[in-house]
Amino acid sequence: VIFMWRNKLSSIFTSDIKAHAVMATSLVLSTFLAFYAINHLPFIDFRTYKIGNNIPTLMQPSEPPRFEYVMEKDGELHRFEKYPTDKSYTYKEMVLLNPESEPKIVDYSVWNNEGEFTEESLTGLKLFLIIQDVKLADQQSMKDISKLIGALKEITPMVITSSDEEKIEAFRHEHQLAAPYYFADATVLKTMVRANPGLMLLNNGTVLGKWHYNDVPSKKELLELIK
């Protein structure tokens, strides 16, 4: 629409100088926001793993699902909230009446060769070190991260990755990560934190803090969040 009417639209600016100033400001601001989001974390987190959210709660439906059964009889469609006992009806489909009640998180799962650790990962105080891909992980930050993990006593660290066992073993030994490692889906890890590696602090599944590898917190910062 704007393109088709471009010759009939008048500028809201009274001069070219103001127009160029607005364009320049917009360019600088958008560039800054993109740079900041890539090198730290976005100012606003719209995802289900944002600070303050409780992951176990979001893994459950907000209310019991309600269904509607669509049945056919004599060429006409009929709808029932309870499945009819009359065998003269022919089943057509089942429709969910309250789709908003479905869990917001359906794909969170943590495991290793010893078994499933999803529930355990959401119990107590945990510091997740999320490494989506060890090949692409920032190496310079690992010294500070390893030092932080080694100093933790009150908080249980967990390395969670989508890389295979051989790669994460080599990476863990190279950087002397004194923490057990677990596996999760790569897409889930990207949703949890937009950094490789990234850190997440949880208390019984509630996200207390998230950090980019350029903003590795101190032990003091972590302890202040769990008071």
Side-chain angles (χ1 to χ4, degrees):
V1 172
I2 294 175
F3 177 79
M4 292 179 63
W5 288 79
R6 64 190 184 280
N7 295 324
K8 296 183 179 181
L9 293 174
S10 59
S11 175
I12 62 174
F13 306 107
T14 58
S15 69
D16 289 341
I17 295 178
K18 289 184 179 180
H20 291 316
V22 171
M23 291 177 60
T25 302
S26 300
L27 178 61
V28 171
L29 181 60
S30 59
T31 301
F32 168 76
L33 290 174
F35 177 84
Y36 187 91
I38 292 173
N39 290 278
H40 302 278
L41 290 178
F43 285 105
I44 302 175
D45 191 349
F46 295 98
R47 290 160 295 168
T48 51
Y49 296 92
K50 67 181 180 180
I51 295 174
N53 278 5
N54 182 267
I55 297 175
T57 299
L58 295 176
M59 292 173 68
Q60 302 297 323
S62 59
E63 62 177 320
R66 293 184 290 108
F67 296 97
E68 180 179 72
Y69 301 93
V70 181
M71 314 293 290
E72 183 180 12
K73 182 178 181 180
D74 298 329
E76 294 184 2
L77 294 179
H78 302 269
R79 299 176 182 274
F80 303 90
E81 290 195 12
K82 292 185 178 180
Y83 198 90
T85 57
D86 188 344
K87 295 185 178 180
S88 63
Y89 287 100
T90 302
Y91 173 81
K92 300 298 292 184
E93 65 174 332
M94 183 172 65
V95 180
L96 180 64
L97 296 176
N98 55 342
E100 70 282 354
S101 68
E102 293 186 312
K104 300 296 186 295
I105 297 177
V106 297
D107 48 6
Y108 176 80
S109 180
V110 175
W111 71 92
N112 64 17
N113 293 334
E114 298 179 6
E116 179 80 18
F117 288 87
T118 302
E119 183 177 352
E120 182 176 331
S121 71
L122 301 174
T123 303
L125 290 167
K126 297 292 192 299
L127 180 66
F128 291 174
L129 170 57
I130 298 174
I131 306 174
Q132 301 160 18
D133 187 341
V134 296
K135 286 185 177 181
L136 303 176
D138 180 78
Q139 303 292 322
Q140 297 180 348
S141 61
M142 290 308 304
K143 182 178 180 180
D144 291 335
I145 292 175
S146 180
K147 182 179 179 181
L148 172 65
I149 289 177
L152 294 179
K153 294 181 179 179
E154 302 85 350
I155 306 170
T156 302
M158 296 178 65
V159 178
I160 306 180
T161 183
S162 57
S163 294
D164 61 45
E165 184 176 5
E166 182 179 350
K167 292 177 182 177
I168 189 61
E169 275 281 11
F171 186 87
R172 193 167 66 101
H173 286 296
E174 177 184 357
H175 297 286
Q176 299 180 346
L177 282 173
Y181 60 86
Y182 305 84
F183 303 105
D185 180 75
T187 301
V188 173
L189 296 183
K190 292 177 183 178
T191 305
M192 293 174 74
V193 60
R194 294 284 182 169
N196 186 28
L199 293 163
M200 284 182 63
L201 178 65
L202 298 92
N203 184 11
N204 290 322
T206 297
V207 182
L208 301 182
K210 298 169 71 171
W211 295 270
H212 192 279
Y213 58 78
N214 285 327
D215 305 299
V216 178
S218 65
K219 179 181 177 180
K220 181 180 179 182
E221 289 179 70
L222 298 183
L223 296 180
E224 287 178 348
L225 289 175
I226 64 177
K227 289 182 180 179

